[in-house]
Amino acid sequence: MIRFFVAHPTIANLLMIALLAAGALTIGNIQRETFPRIPPSRVEVIVAYPGARAEDVESAICERLENAIDAVTNVRELSCEAREGLGRAIVRMNEGTNVEEFTNDVKSEVEAINNFPDKAEAPVIKTLGRTDFVASVAISGIEDRPQLKLYAEQVRKRMLRWGGIPKVDIKGFSTHQIRIELSVPILRQFGLSVADIARTIQSQSLDLPGGSIETAEEYVLVRLADERKRPRDFQNLIVLSAATGGQIRLGDIATITDRFEKDEEKILFNGRQAALLNITKTRNEDTLRVIDAVKAFLVVENQRAPEAVTIAITTDGASLVRDRLALVAKNGLQGLVLVFLVMALFFGIRFSFWVVIGLPVSFMGAFAIMAMTGYTLNMLTSI
């Protein structure tokens, strides 16, 4: 090979130019991320069972999941965690198994279970490992937790509309609920029961389809949209009325609060309660481009936010990638200069130049191959 290129220097120069051009054209297509891409190999199954003890979840949820998943082929490992009100199973598949087919098999077996408790919710099944963490953003400065959650949801929507930010999840809150507390003496005074109040709320807080109206020109869908979602909506709900026109409203006999199920489930940022926005990306997005979009969004968002509200990045998973790539570039440039100077002392400038030029040519050729084979620039490939 060396003898061939020595005899044909023009071909060697053309090959060098081709490698430089290929690397320059493809380096922008190489994804940058923290760790190499690992094919998904786990499937998560979550079944909520509100109000159940961990022991009840174990017998009513986990055992049924385990029995059903035993029928799935290519299962390498199965574990099920029973917590208060929740069962979570992780199914790991054998190497070389098609993840889509494996997920469908697990889904088919789990959805075929027909003896879950009546209060158990529908199973949620998803493949793990399809997204990568990028950063966390904390929102603080609002003491009222429902208002903080509402503001965080608004920021999340604006963040997704911004562009370049693929997925945002809100953390720091348990299940949102409207709590209605009734006094037994007051119920007895008006001859009411808890069941009466429940039926009244159920009948006056509805969001149901009402049929359709079809004409020659159009097709109209009719829907009853009277679902109550805020405390003041429930306060005005009529629970008792008299023939003389007198009315008793729910707010007159009950304490209605907008709150979350578990007060202890919260996040503190600099000593203040906060909402946490976790930003993740799929395998098609570049980590550094996503974090740059997040930072650009926060500059604009902080300008429009109320004075007391603070929005800041708390965890930047992309900084490791940026720092490592900067270190590789710095070390490469220093090595290039040192090799050139040392070789110039012994072999002359012309010979040193052609030896040193082989380093960037090798790098650009490697970048071209990485782009074609789907490799990414990450913490391992940049070592």
Side-chain angles (χ1 to χ4, degrees):
M1 182 70 71
I2 296 177
R3 180 179 299 174
F4 175 80
F5 282 113
V6 170
H8 303 84
T10 303
I11 296 179
N13 292 334
L14 291 175
L15 179 61
M16 179 185 68
I17 295 173
L19 290 175
L20 290 173
L25 292 173
T26 58
I27 190 172
N29 298 328
I30 301 177
Q31 301 292 332
R32 295 165 294 179
E33 53 191 7
T34 309
F35 295 106
R37 296 178 179 178
I38 301 175
S41 61
R42 296 181 301 162
V43 176
E44 178 187 61
V45 182
I46 295 179
V47 180
Y49 188 10
R53 301 175 304 165
E55 295 85 352
D56 298 330
V57 173
E58 170 67 25
S59 59
I61 303 297
C62 285
E63 289 183 3
R64 288 172 170 83
L65 287 176
E66 291 169 355
N67 293 334
I69 296 174
D70 282 342
V72 178
T73 57
N74 295 315
V75 175
R76 178 181 177 184
E77 180 182 331
L78 169 61
S79 62
C80 188
E81 176 186 5
R83 287 185 276 174
E84 183 179 348
L86 183 72
R88 179 175 182 263
I90 301 295
V91 190
R92 186 185 297 273
M93 68 182 190
N94 290 326
E95 294 183 5
T97 306
N98 183 284
V99 65
E100 299 293 342
E101 295 179 359
F102 183 77
T103 303
N104 290 334
D105 291 343
V106 172
K107 185 176 181 180
S108 298
E109 295 297 334
V110 172
E111 291 181 346
I113 301 175
N114 56 10
N115 57 348
F116 278 138
D118 293 337
K119 293 184 178 180
E121 298 179 5
V124 178
I125 305 167
K126 65 179 181 179
T127 305
L128 298 179
R130 292 187 179 274
T131 59
D132 297 322
F133 174 78
V134 177
S136 292
V137 175
I139 303 174
S140 60
I142 302 176
E143 297 303 323
D144 185 68
R145 296 193 70 201
Q147 289 298 322
L148 177 62
K149 175 73 178 298
L150 178 62
Y151 184 76
E153 291 175 346
Q154 295 172 352
V155 173
R156 175 183 176 273
K157 292 179 181 178
R158 290 194 291 267
M159 186 178 288
L160 292 174
R161 289 196 300 264
W162 179 266
I165 307 174
K167 191 173 187 297
V168 183
D169 296 316
I170 300 177
K171 301 294 182 182
F173 304 93
S174 57
T175 304
H176 188 206
Q177 61 181 208
I178 301 293
R179 177 171 293 184
I180 301 174
E181 300 176 82
L182 300 167
S183 171
V184 174
I186 294 179
L187 291 178
R188 290 175 178 172
Q189 178 183 348
F190 293 101
L192 297 172
S193 66
V194 175
D196 295 333
I197 301 298
R199 282 193 296 268
T200 301
I201 295 174
Q202 185 177 12
S203 63
Q204 298 188 43
S205 179
L206 301 173
D207 185 7
L208 299 172
S212 61
I213 301 175
E214 186 174 359
T215 66
E217 291 81 15
E218 59 184 357
Y219 185 81
V220 180
L221 293 177
V222 180
R223 188 175 188 87
L224 176 62
D226 189 28
E227 186 177 8
R228 302 170 190 267
K229 298 181 179 180
R230 296 170 296 182
R232 65 172 176 266
D233 297 333
F234 285 94
Q235 289 173 352
N236 295 325
L237 191 149
I238 299 173
V239 296
L240 193 64
S241 60
T244 58
Q247 294 179 338
I248 301 297
R249 301 181 183 273
L250 185 60
D252 300 330
I253 62 173
T255 301
I256 305 173
T257 55
D258 187 358
R259 53 168 297 160
F260 294 91
E261 182 180 2
K262 298 178 181 179
D263 293 331
E264 66 275 10
E265 189 173 330
K266 60 183 178 180
I267 293 175
L268 298 179
F269 177 64
N270 291 334
R272 298 189 297 179
Q273 63 178 358
L276 198 66
L277 303 181
N278 283 341
I279 295 106
T280 56
K281 72 174 189 69
T282 64
R283 298 304 176 91
N284 296 324
E285 281 86 20
D286 183 274
T287 298
L288 299 188
R289 293 193 183 101
V290 173
I291 192 63
D292 289 341
V294 172
K295 291 179 179 178
F297 169 80
L298 292 183
V299 171
V300 177
E301 187 64 27
N302 276 306
Q303 293 176 352
R304 65 183 296 176
E307 185 177 353
V309 173
T310 301
I311 307 176
I313 296 177
T314 60
T315 306
D316 183 359
S319 61
L320 297 173
V321 182
R322 196 184 299 275
D323 293 343
R324 178 59 62 88
L325 293 177
L327 180 62
V328 169
K330 179 181 177 181
N331 291 345
L333 182 60
Q334 290 177 348
L336 199 70
V337 173
L338 289 175
V339 169
F340 176 78
L341 293 177
V342 172
M343 296 196 67
L345 292 176
F346 298 96
F347 301 103
I349 295 179
R350 181 180 178 183
F351 183 80
S352 301
F353 170 79
W354 286 109
V355 171
V356 169
I357 203 67
L359 295 177
V361 171
S362 301
F363 273 102
M364 299 302 272
F367 291 147
I369 295 175
M370 290 175 65
M372 290 186 293
T373 56
Y375 280 86
T376 62
L377 288 173
N378 51 66
M379 297 286 289
L380 298 183
T381 57
S382 59
I383 293 178

